[in-house]
Amino acid sequence: MAEHIGIVGAGYVGLTSAACFARLGHRVTCVDADESKVDELGRGEVAIAEPGLAELVGQGLADRTLSFTTAQAELYGADLVFLCLPTPPAEDGRPDLGVLEQVVPQLGRLLRPGCVVVTKSTVPVGTAARLPHLLGRDDLPVVANPEFLREGHAVEDFLHPDRVVVGTDPADSPAARRVARLYEPTGAPVVATDSASAELAKYASNAFLAVKLSYVNVLAELCERFGADVREVSRTMGLDARIGPEFLAPGPGWGGSCLPKDTSALLHAAEAAGVDFAILRDAVRVNARQRARVVRAVRQAVTGSPAGSLAGARIGLLGLAFKAGTGDLRDSPALAVAAELARAGAELTAHDPAVGCVPGMSAVQVVDDPYLVAKDAAALVVLTEWPEFRDLDWARLAASADRAIVVDTRNLLDPDALADAGFAHVGVGTRSRRQP
């Protein structure tokens, strides 16, 4: 049965949810306070670089199943309203619920009785339980329905999710079943639980991924000391069904809009509850030191010493986004490494297929042509795992560089192919390969 769904917030989660619910056959009204964004979306202009999203928005507009507005009043007739509002970290790392706490009372004065209010964005445990008080009403059922969307795969993840989590108090209430029915076309298993468990499940999932990534980064350091190859070690680990191959690739650290924010929020929640979450705290510490490890590797490659000076050294950077498939620079480990290299006095030229500039970071010259990053460079550093970097003409890059050496922080490149092109290769958790 088609529902009238309201989406509050046209950011990453809100816009993806709106477009995908329209694709699933519902009528969707998406509300956002940003008038210019609403105007652009109403014309089918999507600024978010997400595969398939612009096409879904365009189809929804053409079918008149999707609309954008700044007027909250248009949500009055909605059957369900999803809160897709920003919850950025405050200075102390706790989630800032200021926007949610401002918007929810307004909705309480607007929505018709029986409308289901759903938290979609990541919110602290206990938020769903607080919403009736913020709404000022007890005739609006509240459901926790956390999102599990990966940037670069958000549309796919929404339409083909691993699971749909629906939390209410009590669990499996009529409101929970209404939300679950929205996802029936996806065929995904539904986890019907209480709201606190649903909210904690989101934080627990992201925090576990962060721990796994920090684990493999420490493992890579150990491989370097023992002369082992982390790629072989992680491949062997990944064949164990209890472990799996995902998130076992070492790199310059984890970042983005979710993992840093959610690990910080969970650590604060644990501290407030009197629980010592030492394993997660250590994962955060490991991540913070990864940028220093990369800079030491660059110093070693350029000067022959992990403490050598990079003052005046021209360094080419391949990748700026926090991961391939997105232009998102939020908490990007690539930018963190670039900042450390700039502080060390290096002159930086960078290329990223999805990034045209780095606001507030004048030390990095961003170029459209990847071959310009090699001009007179003392070293190239791969910081984001864009697959197209494998297909570059590495012999041409070697001819342009001052010293043909690449520090591959993602183990993205084929060392043998680089050697044939004249490059020395320095990986993470692997043996370095010198030119033939």
Side-chain angles (χ1 to χ4, degrees), residues 111-356:
L111 301 178
R112 67 181 182 182
C115 177
V116 180
V117 178
V118 188
T119 57
K120 191 67 172 170
S121 299
T122 305
V123 293
V125 179
T127 299
R130 287 183 59 210
L131 280 192
H133 173 72
L134 289 173
L135 288 162
R137 296 169 58 178
D138 59 7
D139 61 346
L140 299 173
V142 174
V143 177
N145 175 222
E147 55 86 14
F148 295 92
L149 305 179
R150 299 168 296 161
E151 289 195 43
H153 302 272
V155 170
E156 176 70 16
D157 289 344
F158 193 102
L159 297 177
H160 304 281
D162 295 324
R163 74 289 202 198
V164 173
V165 180
V166 180
T168 55
D169 301 304
D172 197 28
S173 67
R177 290 192 288 274
R178 273 185 79 183
V179 172
R181 279 197 297 270
L182 300 177
Y183 297 94
E184 282 183 353
T186 71
V190 174
V191 179
T193 185
D194 60 276
S195 60
S197 296
E199 291 163 339
L200 185 56
K202 172 59 187 291
Y203 285 112
S205 297
N206 277 351
F208 181 79
L209 297 178
V211 170
K212 197 173 181 182
L213 287 169
S214 285
Y215 178 89
V216 78
N217 276 331
V218 175
L219 191 62
E221 188 174 2
L222 195 62
C223 285
E224 291 170 7
R225 302 291 178 88
F226 289 157
D229 190 325
V230 72
R231 295 168 298 184
E232 296 302 309
V233 174
S234 61
R235 182 168 68 91
T236 303
M237 292 171 59
L239 292 172
D240 188 326
R242 298 168 300 175
I243 298 173
E246 299 295 331
F247 285 79
L248 281 180
W254 39 267
S257 62
C258 293
L259 296 194
K261 175 174 70 76
D262 291 353
T263 52
S264 177
L266 188 55
L267 281 173
H268 279 288
E271 182 180 353
V275 175
D276 182 9
F277 211 150
I279 190 171
L280 183 56
R281 189 168 56 249
D282 287 343
V284 173
R285 289 194 185 118
V286 167
N287 195 54
R289 80 178 191 223
Q290 280 303 108
R291 67 195 66 177
R293 278 201 2 102
V294 172
V295 172
R296 285 197 299 273
V298 175
R299 290 181 187 273
Q300 178 73 44
V302 172
T303 72
S305 167
S309 173
L310 294 176
R314 294 180 61 84
I315 306 294
L317 307 180
L318 289 170
L320 293 169
F322 86 93
K323 70 172 187 176
T326 178
D328 198 341
L329 297 175
R330 287 175 290 180
D331 276 307
S332 170
L335 282 192
V337 169
E340 292 287 340
L341 291 171
R343 279 192 285 271
E347 298 177 7
L348 305 175
T349 304
H351 170 76
D352 188 292
V355 177

